[in-house]
Amino acid sequence: MGLPAIRAILLGPDAGAKRRLLLALDWFMDPYYKQDISDIHDGLVELLQRVAVSSDDIDAAEDALGLLGDYEWPPFPILEQNFDHIPDPLKSCARSVISMDRDLD
């Protein structure tokens, strides 16, 4: 499955398909399993940020933030520039993800 197919599902209307894909992405992104996603990595990180700020499905937005927080590292410019579009219940989580690198100072 390539990035266009991933994008179609994550930005599409099927909540169940989104949840299944986000669960699968957890496995692919986890370094423990040594999956090579280098060919889609940057696009995937951008897409997960877009899902977090634009999804009508709060569960999908929360899962996208979780993947970013668990397996990636700031900066997350799309999250920062569109922070107002993140669902209110997820703003605290988004703040934590955005500022992970600052917490080390």
Side-chain angles (χ1 to χ4, degrees):
M1 175 179 288
L3 196 56
I6 293 170
R7 179 178 288 110
I9 292 170
L10 292 183
L11 298 179
D14 187 339
K18 287 179 196 181
R19 281 189 215 105
R20 289 188 299 274
L21 179 55
L22 288 162
L23 181 62
L25 287 174
D26 185 51
W27 182 79
F28 277 98
M29 294 177 75
D30 190 330
Y32 176 81
Y33 297 105
K34 297 180 171 79
Q35 297 300 306
D36 181 10
I37 60 168
S38 59
D39 57 331
I40 64 166
H41 177 267
D42 293 345
L44 182 57
V45 171
E46 178 182 323
L47 179 58
L48 289 171
Q49 291 178 76
R50 292 200 183 283
V51 169
V53 301
S54 67
S55 182
D56 292 335
D57 182 342
I58 196 164
D59 292 329
E62 182 176 31
D63 288 347
L65 285 171
L67 290 172
L68 291 169
D70 289 346
Y71 304 120
E72 298 302 326
W73 201 249
F76 297 116
I78 295 170
L79 291 180
E80 291 180 29
Q81 294 166 5
N82 297 284
F83 189 80
D84 292 341
H85 298 285
I86 295 170
D88 287 338
L90 301 179
K91 286 192 191 269
S92 176
C93 178
R95 245 184 240 106
S96 295
V97 169
I98 290 168
S99 65
M100 284 189 305
D101 60 337
R102 296 178 202 129
D103 294 341
L104 298 177
D105 294 338

